[in-house]
Amino acid sequence: MSNFSRRDFLKVAGLASGAVAMSQMAPRFLSRKIDGAPNVIILVFDAMTARNLSLYGYKRETTPNFQKFAERANVYHNHHSGGNFTTPGTASLLTGTYPWTHRAFNIAGLIERERIDHNIFTAFGDQYHRLAFSQNLLPNYFFGQFAKDIETILPASSFSLIEQVTGEMFTKDSVAAYRSFDNFLFQDGSPPASLVFGLADRILLRSKEARINMNDYPRGLPRAGDHALFFQLKDVFDGVQATISELDANGPYLAYLHLWAPHTPYKPTKQFDKIFQDNYRPAKKPDHRFGTHIEYYKLNNRRQNYDEFIANVDAEFGRLIDTLEANGALDNSYVVVVSDHGESFERGVEEHVTKLLYETLTHIPLLISAPGQQARQDIYAPTNNVDILPTLLKLTGHPIPDWTEGKLLPGFGGVEDMERSQFTVEAKGNPAYAPLTQATVAMVKGSHKLIYYSGYEAEVSFELYDLENDYEELEDLYPSQPSFLKALEDELLEKMDSVNKKYRKP
């Protein structure tokens, strides 16, 4: 973020430190018994695209346990992220606003200062115990901004098999320590920048790794990013279950739990390694001019690794839900299963660091199970992560603030509007507090999707797809200029003009 100063960072880090310190005080979770108040559990699976889940019709049987859970949930089939990577996608979920409003669209961006109180933790108020956890470091920066309204912030190293020196030695300064560690001390595959801390941490890592049966991990241990936060999926899900059980004794609570998997690197256990030895070959799509031109066969190999890791995550999720059901946690809790963004294995693009906004990157799962729900409800109207905040506030008896840009989800009080317009924004190269002049914006309205590219070439450009009849987005309708195009184009350009007004120089 161009105007994010050192003073700003230290202030955010200090807030996070206070929250982490608070989380270590006894009793860990203060009792807030309110008769009849439901709990809220939000499970965010990082980089999980709906397009690779058998729950949504994918060819490989990747998600039998998600499908089982769906039988007691509302299942949203046309749900989209606010952005195509963690920062904007998570910020939209936590604030109920699009990236052009919260402004956290750079790689390590933060919520605009004047909007720091516009978040789900503040909106829930202090009648709820509010807990936040993310294995991905980027959402932890938001937790630092929101720290005065979060009673418990679990460190990113929680439930990890191998913790960093930062996690063990700097527990009261976790966000600052992790960021310093990530940027300075340890980048995997590189020599340590610090002979003292870097070497010490590698010795610690190797000593702990020696105690693990590495035969269970043919591709090595999963880890969160390039830093040395290694984990086993079983430990993470056991930790989540234990945390929820502890919260259950002192409800009501809001628990935001952001898990790294199935984000890269895709490293399942031996049980799931190579389980999809089949002849499945997805549609071959032409490389995009903004792509990185990775070969088709390499993308397919990575897709298979990803699918195997999803299947591993699915099995652990099934075990978690079975335990929560047996413990009675599902009887008085809303359980939200969602992602922050998708993942790409097409058009020469791998993963999600890209200018592109195709459905593999923006179409994400959303399942919400109400307390005691036993029947499935399928919803096909377009929805977005900005809708989750206002919906959960309504369901728990809180007022819906006027600053949210989301709408109530169908099935929980909202109207099933098939012609609603909703958006995804990519602008990591654009200054945070300037008009969006270098950005990609996707607008889904009805069955059509219009993609707008600005600032990458001499002139702006568009693509148009019919998602109902062209699921794979293979036929760009924009060159043929269909009659309905002008209305879509005018709406999107008017929206861009409106959101840019505040940031234009007088």
Side-chain angles (χ1 to χ4, degrees):
M1 188 181 296
S2 59
N3 62 347
F4 180 50
S5 68
R6 179 176 178 274
R7 180 179 296 176
D8 291 329
F9 173 70
L10 292 174
K11 181 178 179 182
V12 170
L15 286 171
S17 302
V20 172
M22 187 183 301
S23 75
Q24 297 169 340
M25 296 172 63
R28 188 177 182 192
F29 303 130
L30 301 177
S31 179
R32 285 180 171 83
K33 286 290 184 184
I34 304 173
D35 291 341
N39 305 313
V40 176
I41 302 166
I42 303 174
L43 295 170
V44 181
F45 293 92
D46 206 307
M48 180 178 275
T49 177
R51 294 302 178 100
N52 284 56
L53 308 186
S54 51
L55 168 66
Y56 292 103
Y58 186 56
K59 300 293 185 182
R60 287 172 171 155
E61 188 69 12
T62 52
T63 54
N65 289 289
F66 280 96
Q67 288 163 235
K68 179 181 175 183
F69 178 71
E71 295 307 310
R72 60 182 305 156
N74 287 14
V75 182
Y76 295 84
H77 291 259
N78 195 8
H79 188 71
H80 288 79
S81 57
N84 66 352
F85 67 101
T86 295
T87 301
T90 303
S92 288
L93 194 163
L94 292 174
T95 67
T97 61
Y98 288 110
W100 51 50
T101 299
H102 59 64
R103 310 308 285 188
F105 47 67
N106 302 133
I107 289 291
L110 293 175
I111 307 297
E112 188 174 36
R113 286 181 193 171
E114 66 185 62
R115 297 183 179 276
I116 289 176
D117 288 335
H118 297 178
N119 69 79
I120 193 169
F121 301 105
T122 302
F124 258 74
D126 58 11
Q127 287 188 317
Y128 271 65
H129 185 101
R130 295 152 294 181
L131 176 143
F133 165 67
S134 174
Q135 286 183 287
N136 189 323
L137 295 186
L138 297 178
N140 282 281
Y141 307 151
F142 302 144
F143 301 161
Q145 290 188 284
F146 309 152
K148 69 180 179 62
D149 293 311
I150 308 177
E151 284 84 0
T152 305
I153 300 178
L154 299 179
S157 59
S158 302
F159 324 135
S160 293
L161 186 67
I162 297 176
E163 296 182 359
Q164 304 159 334
V165 165
T166 53
E168 297 179 342
M169 296 179 64
F170 303 104
T171 57
K172 293 186 178 181
D173 295 291
S174 64
V175 173
Y178 279 123
R179 182 145 188 176
S180 299
F181 188 87
D182 208 30
N183 291 343
F184 176 64
L185 292 181
F186 194 116
Q187 288 293 326
D188 195 60
S190 304
S194 164
L195 288 177
V196 177
F197 288 104
L199 188 58
D201 205 62
R202 290 197 174 189
I203 292 171
L204 177 65
L205 186 153
R206 301 306 173 220
S207 68
K208 290 188 174 182
E209 192 177 51
R211 304 172 203 164
I212 304 162
N213 181 6
M214 294 304 293
N215 290 331
D216 288 340
Y217 298 90
R219 298 183 208 152
L221 286 170
R223 75 167 182 264
D226 292 330
H227 46 85
L229 203 161
F230 289 80
F231 60 90
Q232 297 183 98
L233 280 177
K234 181 181 183 298
D235 290 344
V236 173
F237 279 86
D238 283 348
V240 167
Q241 187 276 318
T243 298
I244 292 172
S245 294
E246 193 168 356
L247 286 167
D248 274 336
N250 300 285
Y253 60 85
L254 164 68
Y256 175 90
L257 302 159
H258 189 132
L259 310 184
W260 181 267
H263 193 293
T264 185
Y266 318 124
K267 295 186 176 183
T269 60
K270 184 177 181 179
Q271 179 183 353
F272 295 93
D273 185 48
K274 297 183 174 60
I275 61 169
F276 296 120
Q277 296 293 306
D278 52 37
N279 295 319
Y280 173 61
R281 294 292 180 271
K284 189 172 183 179
K285 302 178 183 180
D287 280 11
H288 197 279
R289 66 189 185 282
F290 295 145
T292 47
H293 310 296
I294 299 174
E295 295 174 85
Y296 176 73
Y297 81 92
K298 290 182 180 179
L299 292 174
N300 278 345
N301 288 341
R302 291 292 282 160
R303 173 191 289 266
Q304 180 175 313
N305 296 157
Y306 177 71
D307 290 346
E308 292 161 359
F309 202 27
I310 288 176
N312 198 166
V313 171
D314 173 81
E316 293 298 331
F317 172 77
R319 191 168 62 85
L320 171 65
I321 293 300
D322 287 347
T323 303
L324 296 181
E325 183 173 24
N327 293 346
L330 301 186
D331 294 336
N332 64 340
S333 301
Y334 286 95
V335 179
V336 180
V337 174
V338 71
S339 182
D340 52 350
H341 58 81
E343 197 82 322
S344 176
F345 303 97
E346 63 178 35
R347 304 175 202 270
V349 175
E350 181 184 31
E351 301 174 18
H352 51 268
V353 181
T354 176
K355 301 177 180 70
L356 305 183
L357 291 178
Y358 293 107
E359 290 293 280
T360 56
L361 291 156
T362 66
H363 182 197
I364 57 174
L366 176 63
L367 300 91
I368 303 180
S369 178
Q373 183 171 344
Q374 296 299 322
R376 173 170 175 160
Q377 183 175 4
D378 291 280
I379 296 162
Y380 295 89
T383 56
N384 192 283
N385 265 1
V386 299
D387 302 332
I388 292 174
L389 180 148
T391 301
L392 291 178
L393 290 175
K394 176 183 180 295
L395 293 174
T396 53
H398 294 89
I400 298 174
D402 58 8
W403 45 256
T404 181
E405 294 174 303
K407 298 184 177 182
L408 293 179
L409 288 165
F412 291 112
V415 176
E416 196 161 359
D417 182 3
M418 301 303 293
E419 293 301 316
R420 174 203 178 177
S421 301
Q422 53 90 19
F423 304 89
T424 306
V425 181
E426 197 289 324
K428 68 174 68 69
N430 199 93
Y433 298 112
L436 291 175
T437 56
Q438 185 180 97
T440 311
V441 179
M443 181 179 79
V444 174
K445 187 179 181 69
S447 63
H448 290 96
K449 180 176 184 177
L450 183 64
I451 305 176
Y452 167 74
Y453 301 95
S454 173
Y456 308 124
E457 299 166 316
E459 297 181 358
V460 300
S461 59
F462 295 87
E463 295 173 14
L464 176 66
Y465 297 97
D466 180 348
L467 297 179
E468 182 176 352
N469 297 305
D470 181 20
Y471 183 79
E472 299 287 353
E473 297 169 287
L474 289 169
E475 183 183 0
D476 179 7
L477 301 177
Y478 190 82
S480 64
Q481 296 287 297
S483 59
F484 58 84
L485 171 62
K486 187 177 186 308
L488 292 177
E489 192 173 320
D490 287 348
E491 180 180 350
L492 194 153
L493 291 176
E494 286 172 10
K495 173 61 75 172
M496 295 303 297
D497 183 63
S498 173
V499 300
N500 280 335
K501 281 182 179 178
K502 176 181 176 181
Y503 301 95
R504 290 196 184 102
K505 293 181 180 180

